[in-house]
Amino acid sequence: MSVPGPAPITGERREELRRRLAALGFDEVRFAAVGPAGGEALRAWLAAGHHADMAWMARTADKRGDARLVLDEARSVIVLGVNHWPGPAAPAGRPRWAAYALHEDYHDTLKPGLIAAGRVLEERFGLGGTDHRHYTDTGPVLERGWAARAGLGFRGKNGMLISRRHGNWLFLATILVRAEIEPDAPLRPEVPRGDGDEPAGLLCGKCTRCVDVCPTAAIPAPGLVDARRCISYQTIENRGVIPRELRAGIGDRVYGCDACLDVCPWNRFARTARSALLVARHDLAGLELRGLLGLTPESFARIFRRTPIKRVKLAGLLRTACIVAGNSGDQALLPPLCGLARHESPLVRAHAVWAVRRLAGAGAEALLAEARAAEADPTVRAEYA
Ligand code: B12
C-alpha cells in the first residue's frame, strides 16, 4: 500500500504560504514544479571546461540536473529572492567590491529565514521535517534555472537571473519540497523549448551591453559564462595565481565583479535593499587601496569577519589588491608593493612583483633587486623571469 504524500498546496493556501514567507524577509517568493531541469545545458558547460577548477560542479552534475536526486520525491521548488542592491553611493577612487560583498555573508544571514520558512511549512502546512530541504548557494541545485521556471525573472545574456522588479540584484535561495505546490508561470510561457529550458536573453532583446563590456571577454555566447576568464571566478574562487593576461582587465576590482550586471538596463527598477535578512557592510566601499596593501592577519580578521571576503583569506585579498595597485598608475604605491614583494606568502610576492613592474617600468629591476636575490620560490621566480 503506498503512503499518500503531503496534501497539495493550491489557491488561497498557496497565497498564504507566499505571504508568510515574504514576511520572513524574502522579497520574492515563487513556486515551480519539479521536472526536467537544464541538466543537458549544464553538462555542455562542464564538457567545455567553463567551470575552470570548480571540480565540485562536475562531481554533483547529476544532482544539479535532477532535483529528485537531491530530495527523493521532491515535487516542487520554492524559489526565494532577496534584493541586495546597496544603492548608488560607492565613493569614487576606491577599490571596487562586488555589490553582494557589501553585506555580511548571505550564506549565513539568509539561513535563519530559511529555517523559519521550514517551520512555516511544518507548523502551518503539515509537512514533516524531512519533506523539505533548503539551500542558498549551498547545494547541488541550479538556482537560476528554477528561478526562471518559477517566473521570478529570466536568464539574461550575462547568465544572471534578471528580475523585472529588482534587476540583477537578487540573492536566490531554494526549498525543495515533497508537496505539490501550484506552480507560478514562467515569464513567457509561449517561448519554452518544451523541456523548461528557456533560451537565455529572453527579455534582453537586441541588447548586448553585458557581453560587450566584460573586460576579459568571459561571455563567449549569450547566457554562457566561461569561469576561466571571469573576474568573479579569478578573484573569489581561484586561490592561486591569476593568469597574467587577465590582470589588466581586473582594473580596480578587488573582490568579485559586477561589470556585466552594472550595465543591464533592467537595473533601473532596483531599489536599495531593506530585507531583514541582510546586514549591510557598505563601509567596505570606503576602504583605501593603501590600507588594503597594509593588511595584517589581525586587521584582515577584524575588518572582514562575517563577510564573504573572509573566504579568500588574507593572501588571496592581498594578491588581488596588488593587481589593482599595478593597474592604478599610482607610483606612490611602490613602497608598500616593494614591501609585499617580500611578504611571507609566495602568492602575494608573485603579484607584488607584477605590480611593481607595471607601475615602475624600467625602474622596477632596481627596486626589486634585493627581493629577487632572496627569492627561492619557483612561482615567484617565474614571475621575475
Ligand atoms: C558556480 C557559480 C558561479 C561561477 C560560475 C558562474 C556561472 N555563470 O555559472 C562564478 C564563480 C564565475 C560565479 C560568479 C558570479 N556569481 Co555565482 N554561482 C555559482 C553557483 C554556485 C552555480 C551556478 C551554476 O550552476 N552554473 C552553471 C551554469 C551552466 O548554470 P546557470 O548559469 O544556472 O544556467 C543554466 C541553468 O539555469 C540551466 N537551465 C536552463 N533552464 C533551466 C530550467 C530549469 C527548470 C532548471 C532547473 C535549469 C535550467 O541551463 C542554464 C545554462 O546552462 C550558483 C548557486 C547555485 N547553486 O545555482 C551561484 C550564483 C549563480 N551566483 C550568484 C552571483 C551573485 C554571482 C556573481 C554576481 C558574484 C559577483 N558579483 O562576483 C557572479 C556573476 C557572474 C555571472 N555573470 O554569472 C548568484 C546569482 C543570482 C542571480 N540573480 O542570478 C547565485 C545564484 C548564488 C545565489 N544563491 O544567489 N558564480
Side-chain angles (χ1 to χ4, degrees), residues 164-177:
R164 289 199 284 202
R165 289 176 57 202
H166 308 283
N168 288 245
W169 311 113
L170 283 179
F171 287 132
L172 297 178
T174 48
I175 310 178
L176 309 187
V177 183

Side-chain angles (χ1 to χ4, degrees), residues 175-256:
I175 310 178
L176 309 187
V177 183
R178 287 208 173 109
E180 193 183 315
I181 307 177
E182 186 185 343
D184 287 309
L187 285 185
R188 280 233 209 121
E190 68 270 25
V191 182
R193 302 208 296 255
D195 58 356
D197 189 355
E198 305 278 350
L202 195 64
L203 298 184
C204 294
K206 291 201 173 77
C207 179
T208 56
R209 283 191 210 178
C210 57
V211 178
D212 303 338
V213 81
C214 178
T216 49
I219 309 180
L224 195 76
V225 174
D226 184 346
R228 293 170 297 193
R229 300 196 63 84
C230 178
I231 293 172
S232 175
Y233 168 80
Q234 289 297 343
T235 58
I236 301 175
E237 298 292 333
N238 177 7
R239 303 295 157 83
V241 172
I242 294 181
R244 240 165 272 162
E245 69 274 17
L246 301 180
R247 293 180 195 165
I250 287 175
D252 59 0
R253 296 177 188 85
V254 76
Y255 179 91

Side-chain angles (χ1 to χ4, degrees), residues 44 58 72 82 96 114 170 174 207-208 257 261 264 275 338 381:
D72 63 322
V82 176
R96 237 189 300 188
L114 290 168
L170 283 179
T174 48
C207 179
T208 56
C257 178
L261 285 68
C264 178
S275 168
C338 288
R381 290 192 72 84

Side-chain angles (χ1 to χ4, degrees), residues 33 35-42 45 50 54 56-57 64 84 98-100 106 136-146 148-149 155 158-162 167-173 195-198 219 223-227 230-233 235-237 255-258 260-261:
E40 257 174 58
L42 172 66
W45 188 76
H50 291 322
M54 295 181 287
W56 44 274
M57 287 286 300
R64 284 174 197 272
H84 65 82
Y100 93 89
Y106 72 97
T136 178
D137 197 29
T138 45
V141 179
L142 288 173
E143 293 174 334
R144 303 200 266 210
W146 289 113
R149 165 88 55 97
R155 289 183 302 114
N158 58 3
M160 295 297 291
L161 187 284
I162 300 175
N168 288 245
W169 311 113
L170 283 179
F171 287 132
L172 297 178
D195 58 356
D197 189 355
E198 305 278 350
I219 309 180
L224 195 76
V225 174
D226 184 346
C230 178
I231 293 172
S232 175
Y233 168 80
T235 58
I236 301 175
E237 298 292 333
Y255 179 91
C257 178
D258 288 335
C260 65
L261 285 68

Side-chain angles (χ1 to χ4, degrees), residues 255-271:
Y255 179 91
C257 178
D258 288 335
C260 65
L261 285 68
D262 280 334
V263 295
C264 178
W266 286 100
N267 293 338
R268 66 185 178 274
F269 301 115
R271 301 231 188 297

